[in-house]
Amino acid sequence: MPLRDTSAHQPATDRTFQVDLRGLVDLLSHHLYSSPRVYLRELLQNAVDALTARHAIEPHGAFGIRLYADGSVVRVEDDGVGLTEADVHTFLATIGRSSKRAEQVAEQRADFIGQFGIGLLSCFLVADEIHVVSRSARTPDAPAVEWRGRGDGSYTVRTLPASARPRPGTTVTLTPRADAGEWTRPAQVHALARHFGSLLRHPVTFDDGSGSAGVPVNPDPAPWSSTYPTPGARSRALAAYGEEVFGFKPLDTIELDLPAVGLKGIACVLPEAVPAGRRHGHRVHVKGMLLSEQAEEILPEWAFFVRCVVDAESLRPTASREALYEDDTLAAVRDALAERLRDWIARAAASDPELLGRFLQAHHLAVKSLAVHDDEILRMLLPWLPFETTDGHCTLDEFARTHRTVLVTSSVEEFRQVAAIASAAGLGVVNGGYTYDRQLVHRLPEIRPEASVADLDPATLTAHLDPVDRETELAAAAYLAQARDALAVFDCDVALRTFQPASAPALLVDSREARHERTRSQLAREQEGGLWGDILGALRQEAPRAQLILNQLNPLVRTAVAIDEPELARTSAEALYGQAAMLSRRPLRPAESSLINRSFLDLLAHALRKDS
């Protein structure tokens, strides 16, 4: 008899996920929180949010937070809104639910630091049991409630007589595990409280059980919220705070104030240059609680010349409360803070040239990166920015006054090839090989319409070298032919000119594009007949050959062109080429390194034979 299919008649059964609390705590410790030390931040955050809710009921009440740690227990007590027995069952015993989501305080949700309802679990990173005693301020006649949660997922709840908690609020007590002593020693608890809570608005005290009165954890308000007798005193106080926080004396401090999001703070200008693109972490507090010391996302990438400490009301923390949630608000804050930095640069350019000079000396690369994309900064600061030129390091404004036509190279090596010769010929050349420099030099006419800018090419330079007379050219023809033959392997022509300085025997004029084209041609010949060779052949371009220009004014060259021994003439030409290639400071190809070694040994051997 066939079996009947009864699955269609069986109702579905709702079931509840089973949570392995120990596994969840391990997940938090290894993937959500950066360190077990966050347990104290979470306890402080819960206490602050409870006080915020209490102030909504009693706006004029004097409430605070008290910490206690004597090595055997860690206790955090607050005068906050407290919990009823129903609240304890609803919120402390349900993972992921926060009492701050309750309907009665939903309208104040933005006033709270925490939003995720899992912070209390962080206490299991340092203890196996969490002991909570609380009494609600909303229900004055309600008894105190005790909740004990254990790391195995079990908990107990009982009511206590009113004497167990005479006033509304909550006390959380931890008995640390033996392996958690690093984070629960009295001195460490005090240090962590100072670290996380130094800018909290509510008074926080610490007691180490020695019998002395509680020590204030946050005795001083944020320096930007304080009043000072003079602007100079305010500036010095902000600089001293920046030095205390970051460990360096700021070149200057920039006050940051965005009322729309309740953000206040300072940006400290670094006194020394930093590598381009290295983004510093910034200290971000949310409603006074330290969120992160490495919040890179608060400022744009180009602002790596400052470090900030800010306190904000409306920025959203991530679930771990150790970073900022990337949303439209954060993007708007980033743009607004960037505008504050631009304003500071503009003020320095307009009213404090000495400060601007010190700033640019240290951070010209950061400003150049900003000027490339910011027309306002370009107009303000391009004339002030330093560049490497044939007149030495100077500003474009100074350089353009001397040279109506500003020539710019495309690489550092090309500038080094031609700098001495171009300077002697009266050409004004700027090294455009550094990051952003070539782009900025080409925008100079936008600021100085009377100046013109052009790329330097070999033809421009050689046009300023004087030709030799016909008799000298004819006398050197045989040597030049032998030199061209010797250097043909490098696709290099040889010419004789006169130029200053006379101490330079030769100049190698060679563009990067020409070298790339010769490399491509060589690879195409080696791969001839294959697919790769066909591709390289299709890319063939007519590129100018390199040119070794010999200086007739140099005594060594005048001696060389008179050599009548073919082998010695070839060797001398190879040696002059090698010396010019080294002076260009570009990377040498293997064949060029071999030529330099061979020509040196051949000349040495010739000299020894001559002496013997």
Side-chain angles (χ1 to χ4, degrees), residues 440-456:
L440 291 173
V441 173
H442 273 286
R443 298 190 67 180
L444 178 62
E446 299 176 28
I447 314 301
R448 297 285 182 268
E450 68 278 7
S452 63
V453 178
D455 287 324
L456 177 68

Side-chain angles (χ1 to χ4, degrees), residues 89-139:
H89 283 290
T90 302
F91 301 116
L92 296 188
T94 305
I95 295 172
R97 181 178 295 175
S98 172
S99 62
K100 296 180 288 295
R101 290 195 176 97
E103 292 181 2
Q104 62 266 36
V105 294
E107 65 274 12
Q108 287 101 13
R109 178 175 178 178
D111 296 332
F112 299 120
I113 302 171
Q115 303 287 334
F116 297 93
I118 58 175
L120 195 63
L121 292 181
S122 65
C123 295
F124 286 123
L125 301 177
V126 297
D128 290 325
E129 183 178 274
I130 305 171
H131 180 215
V132 179
V133 176
S134 187
R135 184 174 178 182
S136 175
R138 292 195 181 88
T139 312

Side-chain angles (χ1 to χ4, degrees), residues 46-55 58 63-66 77-83 134-138 165 167-170:
N46 287 341
V48 170
D49 287 344
L51 291 179
T52 302
R54 179 80 180 271
H55 273 290
E58 304 174 54
F63 309 124
I65 302 170
R66 294 165 293 282
E77 182 179 4
D78 66 69
D79 301 320
V81 71
L83 300 170
S134 187
R135 184 174 178 182
S136 175
R138 292 195 181 88
R165 178 81 200 192
R167 297 179 299 176
T170 301

Side-chain angles (χ1 to χ4, degrees), residues 143-222:
V145 184
E146 177 191 69
W147 177 87
R148 289 182 182 271
R150 290 171 284 274
D152 60 5
S154 63
Y155 70 94
T156 58
V157 178
R158 63 170 179 159
T159 58
L160 300 175
S163 59
R165 178 81 200 192
R167 297 179 299 176
T170 301
T171 302
V172 181
T173 304
L174 308 178
T175 301
R177 294 194 305 269
D179 62 351
E182 177 184 0
W183 307 109
T184 57
R185 292 191 302 269
Q188 180 71 313
V189 172
H190 186 207
L192 290 176
R194 286 279 300 163
H195 180 72
F196 290 118
S198 62
L199 297 184
L200 289 175
R201 282 75 156 182
H202 304 285
V204 183
T205 59
F206 173 76
D207 183 356
D208 63 1
S210 62
S212 58
V215 178
V217 168
N218 54 342
D220 302 315

Side-chain angles (χ1 to χ4, degrees), residues 253-560:
T253 56
I254 308 165
E255 287 203 59
L256 307 174
D257 187 4
L258 304 178
V261 292
L263 183 146
K264 289 180 177 291
I266 57 172
C268 297
V269 182
L270 290 158
E272 298 177 350
V274 294
R278 177 187 290 179
R279 300 186 66 184
H280 289 287
H282 308 288
R283 289 176 65 94
V284 175
H285 299 252
V286 174
K287 302 177 180 69
M289 182 71 71
L290 178 64
L291 180 78
S292 174
E293 298 175 273
Q294 300 296 327
E296 297 181 351
E297 62 274 17
I298 196 72
L299 287 180
E301 290 186 10
W302 56 258
F304 53 83
F305 56 89
V306 296
R307 293 192 68 181
C308 294
V309 52
V310 298
D311 186 17
E313 296 288 335
S314 301
L315 294 178
R316 288 178 58 193
T318 59
S320 67
R321 286 185 283 279
E322 295 182 329
L324 293 171
Y325 187 81
E326 188 70 46
D327 57 9
D328 292 342
T329 300
L330 179 58
V333 166
R334 185 164 47 237
D335 292 342
L337 292 181
E339 189 62 30
R340 298 297 184 274
L341 299 184
R342 291 189 185 95
D343 291 343
W344 175 83
I345 294 174
R347 288 196 302 273
S351 60
D352 198 339
E354 191 272 334
L355 173 62
L356 179 67
R358 288 188 289 127
F359 169 67
L360 291 178
Q361 184 177 8
H363 300 294
H364 59 272
L365 185 58
V367 177
K368 286 178 179 179
S369 69
L370 176 58
V372 167
H373 306 290
D374 191 309
D375 291 344
E376 183 178 352
I377 293 295
L378 178 78
R379 287 191 296 271
M380 285 191 303
L381 294 182
L382 182 59
W384 297 83
L385 291 173
F387 290 83
E388 184 180 7
T389 75
T390 47
D391 292 349
H393 282 83
C394 61
T395 66
L396 280 185
D397 200 45
E398 297 169 335
F399 196 67
R401 289 197 211 104
T402 308
H403 305 280
R404 291 292 300 272
T405 299
V406 177
L407 301 172
V408 58
T409 64
S410 60
S411 68
V412 174
E413 60 193 40
E414 288 175 3
F415 177 80
R416 290 170 176 169
Q417 283 180 30
V418 304
I421 311 302
S423 178
L427 296 177
V429 182
V430 179
N431 186 349
Y434 295 116
T435 307
Y436 311 119
D437 282 15
R438 186 166 175 266
Q439 295 169 268
L440 291 173
V441 173
H442 273 286
R443 298 190 67 180
L444 178 62
E446 299 176 28
I447 314 301
R448 297 285 182 268
E450 68 278 7
S452 63
V453 178
D455 287 324
L456 177 68
D457 58 37
T460 303
L461 180 64
T462 55
H464 284 77
L465 303 182
D466 296 327
V468 296
D469 58 74
R470 183 173 179 79
E471 291 75 12
T472 303
E473 182 82 29
L474 290 174
Y479 178 85
L480 294 178
Q482 292 170 330
R484 293 186 185 106
D485 183 63
L487 301 180
V489 67
F490 300 113
D491 288 328
C492 182
D493 195 9
V494 183
L496 187 64
R497 297 286 188 273
T498 62
F499 55 85
Q500 296 292 338
S503 58
L507 170 66
L508 181 60
V509 180
D510 193 12
S511 68
R512 177 181 296 181
E513 291 75 13
R515 291 197 302 276
H516 286 176
E517 172 59 21
R518 290 195 297 273
T519 301
R520 186 211 56 75
S521 299
Q522 181 181 353
L523 290 174
R525 288 193 297 270
E526 294 173 355
Q527 302 288 334
E528 189 173 358
L531 175 61
W532 184 237
D534 293 340
I535 294 174
L536 291 173
L539 297 175
R540 180 178 292 113
Q541 299 177 358
E542 291 299 327
R545 302 177 69 193
Q547 192 172 37
L548 180 67
I549 303 176
L550 304 179
N551 187 3
Q552 176 64 19
L553 299 180
N554 183 266
L556 178 63
V557 171
R558 289 201 298 270
T559 301

